[in-house]
Amino acid sequence: MTWGLILDIFKTYWPMFLRGAGMTLFISVIGTVVGTIIGLLIGTIRTIPTPDRGPNKILLKLVNYILTAYVEFFRGTPMIVQASVIYYGAPLFLGIDMDRIFAALFIVSINTGAYIAEIVRGGIISVDKGQFEAAHAIGMNHVKTMLHVVLPQVIRNILPAVGNEFVVNIKDTSVLNVISVTELFFQSKSIAGNNFRYFETYFITSIIYLIMTITVTRILRILERKLDGPDNFTVIPGNQMQVQKPEDAVKRRDALKQ
Amino acid sequence: MGNVIEVQHLKKSFGSNEILKDIDFSVKKGEVVCIIGPSGSGKSTLLRCINLLEKPSGGSIIYNGQNILDHKHNIYDYRTKLGMVFQQFNLFNNHDVLSNCVVGQTKVLKRSVKEAEEVAMKYLNVVGMSQYIKAKPRQLSGGMKQRVAIARALSMEPDVMLFDEPTSALDPEMVGEVLSVMKKLAKSGLTMLVVTHEMQFAKEVSDRVVFMDQGVIVEEGTPEQIFDNPKQERTKEFLSRVAR
C-alpha cells in the first residue's frame, strides 16, 4: 500500500528531509539576497552617465565590458555546469580548496546576480526620467539619486520578478548535488538509495519543494503590500495658515481673471 | 544690484538642430523674469541649460562671477543654488510629502533631520500643503503636487527659482492655486525665472518679460513695454494670437 509506505518513509527519514530542506532554503535565501545586491550594484554602475573625456570614460567602458561578459556567461551556461567548473576548477587553477557550502552559496549568488542585473536594468529604465531630473535638480549625484530616489522604486517594481527568481533558486539548488551539497535533492537520493523506494521518496520530496515555494510566494506578496504603504493618509488639521477649500480655489481663480 | 546668473553666447543643438542660438541674458537678485514665446522657441531648453539638465553646446553661464561650464566647477553644489519646478511636478514617488521636502536637505545639504523638517514645514505652510505631509504623491491632485514641488525646491533655500511651465500640465481649475502661490513668492522678493504661457501672470507679476522665438531672444523689457507697446513685428504677432 503506497500511502502507508510514504508515511512510513517520512516517519523514518524526516530528520534527513528536514535537514535537506533547511539547506535548500538556506542556500536559496542567501543566494537570492546576495544576488539581488549584486544586481542592484551592477544596475547602478551600468547607468552611470558616460563622461565626455578623460581616463574615467575608458575605465567606465572597461568595467561595462566586464559586467556584460559576466552577465552573458552566467546567463548563457547551465548552473550545473557552472557549479562543476567552479568547484573543481578552483583547486586546479587558483589553489583554493572550497568548502562545499561556500561554493554553493557563491555559485547561486553570482548566477542569480547575473539574472537580477538584467531585471534591475529593466526596472531602472521603467522609472520616469523626471525622477532622475528632479533628483539632479536638487543637487544629488548619481549615487545619491540611485540610493534615495530610483532604487527604492526599482526594488518595489522588480519584487515580483525577484520572487520568481527566488522560487527558481529553491528548485535549482537541486543541481548542486553534483558537488555533493547536502540539500533536499541530495538527501532524497540518499534516502531512496537506502530503501529502494524511489517513487515514494521523491513524492515526499516534491511535496516539500511545493510547500517551500508556495510559502515564499505568499511572504513576498505580503512584503509587496507592505512596501506600497497604506492606501489612505491622515490629514493633519489646524496645521496650516490657509485651508484649501473648493470655494477658495474658485475665489482665487476669479481674482486672477480680473 | 548684481546679476545672480548671467548667460553669455549660450548655444545648444540637438544633432544638427540648433535650439538656442547665441543667447545673452541675465537675472538680477530679487528680480522676477518671465520668458514667453511659442512652443519650440527654446524657452524650456534655456531653463534646462541654466541648471545643466541639458549640456550647453557653447557659451558660458556665470554664477557668482564664475563660469560654471568650466570642467573644474562642481555642478552638484551649483544645482543646490537653483530651485527647479517642472511641468510634470516630478515628486519623488517613493517619498511622502514631507519626505520629498526633507530628503534633499539631509542628503545633499547635510542638514539634521530636525532642522530639515522645520524648514520643510515652513515652506509647506507657504504653499498651503502642511496638512498633507503624510500623503504620497499618487494620492494628490495635480495642483497639490505642484505646490509640494515648489515647497521642495524652496526647502533647499536656493538663490534663484526656475519654473518650467509650472501650470501647463494642470486642469484649468488648479492653475489658479499654483499661480497664487507663485505670486506670493514673487512678492516676497524671491528671485524667479519663469517659463510660462500664462500671459496674465507674466503681465502682473514680472519685473521683466523676455520674448523668445526660434532660439533667439527677440525682445525684452518691462511687462508694459512688451505687452502694451511691443517693438518687434514677431512679438506683436505672437501677442495678438495669444490674447483672447
Side-chain angles (χ1 to χ4, degrees):
Chain A
M1 194 10 220
T2 314
W3 293 113
L5 211 66
I6 289 174
L7 215 62
D8 277 348
I9 291 172
F10 188 71
K11 273 184 188 151
T12 318
Y13 294 101
W14 68 267
M16 277 180 88
F17 279 119
L18 204 65
R19 252 178 289 143
M23 179 60 73
T24 291
L25 217 50
F26 172 66
I27 295 171
S28 42
V29 167
I30 302 282
T32 310
V33 170
V34 176
T36 306
I37 294 168
I38 294 174
L40 290 171
L41 271 174
I42 293 180
T44 307
I45 295 170
R46 275 185 167 181
T47 47
I48 294 174
T50 352
D52 296 330
R53 68 198 82 204
N56 281 346
K57 185 178 178 175
I58 301 159
L59 185 71
L60 192 66
K61 250 199 166 141
L62 192 72
V63 170
N64 274 331
Y65 276 128
I66 294 168
L67 291 180
T68 308
Y70 158 71
V71 170
E72 291 299 333
F73 177 75
F74 283 96
R75 278 200 316 172
T77 54
M79 191 154 81
I80 192 165
V81 177
Q82 291 160 17
S84 308
V85 168
I86 291 173
Y87 182 67
Y88 296 116
L92 281 182
F93 295 101
L94 303 172
I96 312 166
D97 220 351
M98 264 199 242
D99 177 56
R100 278 173 221 288
I101 312 277
F102 175 79
L105 292 174
F106 179 74
I107 291 155
V108 176
S109 297
I110 53 173
N111 183 284
T112 311
Y115 280 95
I116 294 189
E118 284 299 288
I119 296 172
V120 168
R121 197 164 66 93
I124 292 174
I125 292 170
S126 71
V127 171
D128 180 31
K129 209 172 114 248
Q131 300 284 310
F132 290 86
E133 290 191 342
H136 291 157
I138 59 171
M140 288 188 179
N141 57 24
H142 181 71
V143 171
K144 282 178 187 162
T145 303
M146 281 298 177
L147 224 50
H148 303 302
V149 178
V150 177
L151 290 186
Q153 298 182 42
V154 168
I155 289 171
R156 166 62 191 92
N157 289 341
I158 66 171
L159 213 54
V162 170
N164 205 16
E165 216 40 56
F166 195 172
V167 168
V168 168
N169 274 344
I170 289 176
K171 297 183 295 174
D172 282 6
T173 44
S174 58
V175 306
L176 294 171
N177 77 80
V178 291
I179 56 168
S180 310
V181 177
T182 53
E183 42 69 48
L184 183 55
F185 182 75
F186 185 87
Q187 297 285 47
S188 309
K189 224 165 62 170
S190 309
I191 295 165
N194 251 321
N195 60 17
F196 299 109
R197 288 292 175 177
Y198 290 94
F199 167 75
E200 289 82 356
T201 306
Y202 285 119
F203 183 78
I204 296 172
T205 310
S206 67
I207 298 289
I208 298 176
Y209 271 119
L210 202 59
I211 291 171
M212 285 197 287
T213 52
I214 290 175
T215 312
V216 162
T217 323
R218 289 289 169 278
I219 291 173
L220 280 168
R221 198 54 54 76
I222 294 168
L223 186 65
E224 268 174 50
R225 236 172 281 148
K226 196 141 201 176
L227 281 183
D228 282 342
D231 275 338
N232 46 13
F233 60 92
T234 37
V235 172
I236 295 142
N239 200 2
Q240 172 152 357
M241 299 190 292
Q242 16 139 233
V243 178
Q244 186 75 24
K245 281 182 293 206
E247 301 92 86
D248 293 345
V250 171
K251 250 184 257 165
R252 273 187 217 170
R253 193 190 54 199
D254 292 344
L256 208 71
K257 271 185 189 159
Q258 285 155 17
Chain B
M1 270 186 282
N3 290 335
V4 183
I5 288 179
E6 202 174 326
V7 172
Q8 295 169 344
H9 304 295
L10 193 75
K11 291 187 187 72
K12 172 70 189 173
S13 336
F14 292 103
S16 61
N17 198 356
E18 212 179 10
I19 304 294
L20 295 178
K21 304 163 187 165
D22 204 27
I23 299 278
D24 279 301
F25 160 80
S26 64
V27 186
K28 288 189 184 66
K29 196 168 162 33
E31 205 179 20
V32 177
V33 181
C34 282
I35 305 179
I36 59 169
S39 297
S41 57
K43 314 181 292 292
S44 289
T45 307
L46 172 60
L47 212 63
R48 292 167 59 83
C49 276
I50 287 176
N51 76 354
L52 304 180
L53 284 177
E54 302 291 351
K55 205 180 167 306
S57 321
S60 46
I61 297 170
I62 313 289
Y63 169 78
N64 271 349
Q66 278 178 307
N67 182 5
I68 50 120
L69 295 182
D70 275 351
H71 287 283
K72 293 180 289 274
H73 210 92
N74 185 340
I75 65 167
Y76 303 111
D77 282 347
Y78 167 69
R79 278 180 179 149
T80 63
K81 307 289 184 195
L82 308 176
M84 181 82 171
V85 176
F86 297 89
Q87 188 176 349
Q88 299 294 341
F89 333 123
N90 297 344
L91 289 182
F92 302 138
N93 294 327
N94 56 323
H95 293 276
D96 65 20
V97 165
L98 183 62
S99 182
N100 257 285
C101 301
V102 164
V103 64
Q105 296 185 65
T106 53
K107 303 302 175 193
V108 180
L109 301 180
K110 305 283 176 208
R111 287 180 183 157
S112 71
V113 174
K114 190 171 165 290
E115 188 194 356
E117 284 184 352
E118 277 167 18
V119 173
M121 284 311 291
K122 179 175 139 198
Y123 290 109
L124 283 168
N125 253 319
V126 170
V127 300
M129 282 299 291
S130 56
Q131 278 188 310
Y132 297 93
I133 50 174
K134 294 266 181 258
K136 288 273 187 148
R138 66 186 146 92
Q139 294 159 332
L140 301 175
S141 72
M144 287 170 155
K145 280 186 206 169
Q146 194 60 300
R147 285 188 282 150
V148 174
I150 292 172
R152 173 178 68 182
L154 287 172
S155 296
M156 301 295 285
E157 303 190 313
D159 290 345
V160 189
M161 284 285 283
L162 311 175
F163 294 85
D164 185 8
E165 300 191 27
T167 57
S168 297
L170 295 176
D171 288 344
E173 258 187 301
M174 292 164 184
V175 171
E177 68 184 65
V178 171
L179 289 184
S180 69
V181 164
M182 288 172 64
K183 277 184 188 170
K184 200 153 109 186
L185 296 176
K187 281 200 196 104
S188 74
L190 191 71
T191 313
M192 287 165 63
L193 181 55
V194 186
V195 169
T196 186
H197 289 293
E198 297 286 334
M199 295 304 148
Q200 197 56 39
F201 174 83
K203 211 169 183 172
E204 277 177 56
V205 175
S206 48
D207 298 309
R208 190 150 52 90
V209 176
V210 174
F211 173 68
M212 281 183 72
D213 190 24
Q214 296 182 354
V216 294
I217 292 178
V218 177
E219 192 170 353
E220 62 176 298
T222 63
E224 292 77 29
Q225 281 171 352
I226 300 289
F227 286 106
D228 303 333
N229 196 9
K231 293 194 177 57
Q232 302 290 330
E233 216 34 62
R234 187 68 194 89
T235 316
K236 282 179 202 162
E237 193 191 321
F238 172 74
L239 288 173
S240 70
R241 228 179 310 148
V242 293
R244 272 162 286 173

